Amino acid sequence: MASITAADQDLSSINSYQPFEYDTGLKVLADSSNLKAVPSKFNYTNQPNALTSDSIPVIDFSALTDPDQRSKAIHDIARACQEWGFFILVNHGIPEELMNAVSKATKEFFDLPEGEKKQYEAKSASDPIKCGNFNVTTTSNQTFTLWRDYLKLYVHPEFHCPLKPKVLREVLLEYSERTRKLARELVEAVSETLELEKQYVDQVLKLHSSFQMFAANFYPPCPQPDQAIGIPPHTDPGLFTFLIHNGVAGLQIQHDGQWFNAESPRNSILVNVADQLEIFTNGRCKSVMHRAVVNSERERMSIVVANGPSSEAVVGPAAPLVKRDGRAFYRPMKYEEYVVSQLTKSRLDGKPILEQMKIHDD
Ligand code: OGA
Ligand code: NI
């Protein structure tokens, strides 16, 4: 195979995920050995540097419930979704104690003995509880293991959670419920600016039975951060993804062809537009390309909630927008199929699934 340059890699994105056979988690490797170099299976030549910008949008959620500020707040959210596909959400109403409790319980899961976690090793992409590490094949045809251990759970409409640590179930139930409500209010805000009928949105996206995934990512310190990656460039499935972390930066987003550090104030939530919101808004909102880089000093943990439509919803561009735009820019697909394709599809034409959904002029 021809060697792949860093530039090639940065242009490419994840094409398929293959659950890696669960020998031991990366955490064990990083804890037990005095690693000086990245083992070759993790090799991914990378340019982790990114810019810092103070123009990344910050949205004050409390303004949405203030009648004097609502219309400006809605407008600001829509603009953030269109220009960056990303914003920092403050005053969101989710108690800091709850976010801390979720982080603590999740960390306790990663700290469980390997034997305990092994029962949840991924056997198929559709397992509602899975953990381990991942092999990824990028569109430039490179396979490598991510510098990350993960735990992934389906939490709505059915709630799935490991039995240990015991406290996880209770805190996660509450966190998933509150984040679902928040996601729904954001979707409604965007719909309002686009003058879509509430009933129409509810009917098409079926948000009362929204498919919600919880993912926790654990990134041990990495001896050579430019030789490995936490998660390579990708977009997320769903409408809005919410991310919180343990205070160690590592999320980077792409904007105007440049990488930016997504730094966040304490207690804020990092929100990104995901694929189905781009499709539903016929391209108005941008599903932002992002990645997680690693560092040599501190372990990092992120807690991610992917808020989707219902798995039964067939998501295509909203009919009133297609009418306004004169045509649909994306094909419709049932959300369940979309998620499965993203997780399992072997290389079709080598493009990420969102690209495959686009209808081009020709
Ligand atoms: C993800 C993701 C980024 C991070 O889990 O989809 O993009 O910073 N995570 O952990
Ligand atoms: Ni992501």
Side-chain angles (χ1 to χ4, degrees):
M1 195 175 77
S3 69
I4 292 163
T5 65
D8 277 336
Q9 287 182 343
D10 246 6
L11 284 173
S12 69
S13 56
I14 300 175
N15 199 45
S16 71
Y17 290 109
Q18 293 146 7
F20 184 63
E21 122 195 22
Y22 197 93
D23 42 9
T24 50
L26 172 59
K27 186 171 181 302
V28 171
L29 174 75
D31 283 351
S32 65
S33 52
N34 194 2
L35 274 184
K36 295 273 184 293
V38 167
S40 63
K41 72 172 184 179
F42 295 97
N43 267 172
Y44 175 91
T45 309
N46 181 26
Q47 297 157 315
N49 295 337
L51 304 176
T52 295
S53 165
D54 53 16
S55 50
I56 295 179
V58 177
I59 300 290
D60 179 349
F61 188 77
S62 64
L64 271 184
T65 49
D66 177 339
D68 293 335
Q69 298 184 57
R70 183 169 167 88
S71 96
K72 178 176 182 302
I74 285 184
H75 177 81
D76 289 348
I77 292 172
R79 212 173 80 182
C81 292
Q82 291 171 16
E83 289 176 4
W84 283 80
F86 182 83
F87 54 90
I88 297 164
L89 192 66
V90 298
N91 296 327
H92 43 68
I94 298 191
E96 190 169 3
E97 304 80 65
L98 177 61
M99 306 206 302
N100 290 342
V102 171
S103 294
K104 186 163 175 283
T106 305
K107 179 65 174 36
E108 282 171 28
F109 176 85
F110 285 118
D111 287 341
L112 288 174
E114 289 305 302
E116 190 71 47
K117 289 184 276 187
K118 198 168 161 44
Q119 62 181 303
Y120 302 119
E121 73 189 75
K123 288 170 200 78
S124 115
S126 58
D127 290 346
I129 302 182
K130 48 189 177 295
C131 72
N133 38 36
F134 259 11
N135 267 354
V136 153
T137 304
T138 68
T139 44
S140 50
N141 210 4
Q142 190 198 19
T143 297
F144 56 92
T145 304
L146 303 187
W147 194 268
R148 171 196 78 155
D149 285 337
Y150 77 94
L151 167 66
K152 212 167 251 192
L153 312 172
Y154 294 170
V155 290
H156 194 258
E158 272 179 41
F159 181 78
H160 298 269
C161 184
L163 294 172
K164 286 188 189 169
K166 241 180 158 162
V167 61
L168 187 60
R169 183 176 191 90
E170 185 192 335
V171 293
L172 210 53
L173 251 178
E174 185 174 352
Y175 189 64
S176 77
E177 197 175 308
R178 285 183 179 253
T179 46
R180 236 169 19 249
K181 185 159 173 282
L182 203 56
R184 194 164 181 170
E185 289 178 63
L186 292 176
V187 171
E188 281 166 11
V190 170
S191 310
E192 202 172 313
T193 48
L194 297 176
E195 294 168 7
L196 296 173
E197 298 265 350
K198 197 167 170 176
Q199 273 144 329
Y200 173 84
V201 176
D202 272 4
Q203 187 205 332
V204 174
L205 300 177
K206 303 182 180 16
L207 293 179
H208 55 279
S209 59
S210 62
F211 181 50
Q212 191 186 33
M213 280 185 278
F214 169 90
N217 302 303
F218 180 82
Y219 308 97
C222 175
Q224 296 169 294
D226 56 349
Q227 297 298 315
I229 192 142
I231 310 182
H234 67 285
T235 61
D236 295 335
L239 297 164
F240 281 113
T241 306
F242 296 160
L243 183 143
I244 59 175
H245 58 76
N246 66 342
V248 178
L251 174 66
Q252 297 180 341
I253 54 169
Q254 203 174 49
H255 179 67
D256 286 344
Q258 261 293 345
W259 287 104
F260 288 88
N261 292 308
E263 282 159 8
S264 53
R266 210 187 135 105
N267 200 25
S268 60
I269 298 179
L270 299 174
V271 181
N272 66 266
V273 170
D275 294 356
Q276 273 59 38
L277 194 63
E278 175 168 329
I279 294 171
F280 186 67
T281 60
N282 208 20
R284 285 168 176 75
C285 295
K286 298 281 178 294
S287 182
V288 69
M289 189 69 97
H290 57 284
R291 66 184 183 185
V293 298
V294 292
N295 77 84
S296 58
E297 259 135 55
R298 296 175 63 192
E299 64 183 38
R300 172 165 186 263
M301 192 176 72
S302 65
I303 306 272
V304 174
V305 180
N307 299 284
S310 160
S311 55
E312 296 301 314
V314 176
V315 184
L321 300 180
V322 173
K323 203 163 159 202
R324 245 176 266 170
D325 297 342
R327 72 180 187 93
F329 296 111
Y330 303 82
R331 279 174 255 284
M333 190 188 266
K334 192 170 159 189
Y335 187 48
E336 185 174 24
E337 267 169 51
Y338 193 94
V339 171
V340 171
S341 312
Q342 194 180 39
L343 289 173
T344 58
K345 204 161 231 141
S346 55
R347 195 161 291 95
L348 274 182
D349 55 359
K351 282 197 235 157
I353 180 159
L354 182 61
E355 284 304 312
Q356 293 173 33
M357 302 303 290
K358 288 185 182 162
I359 304 172
H360 295 284
D361 263 336
D362 43 22

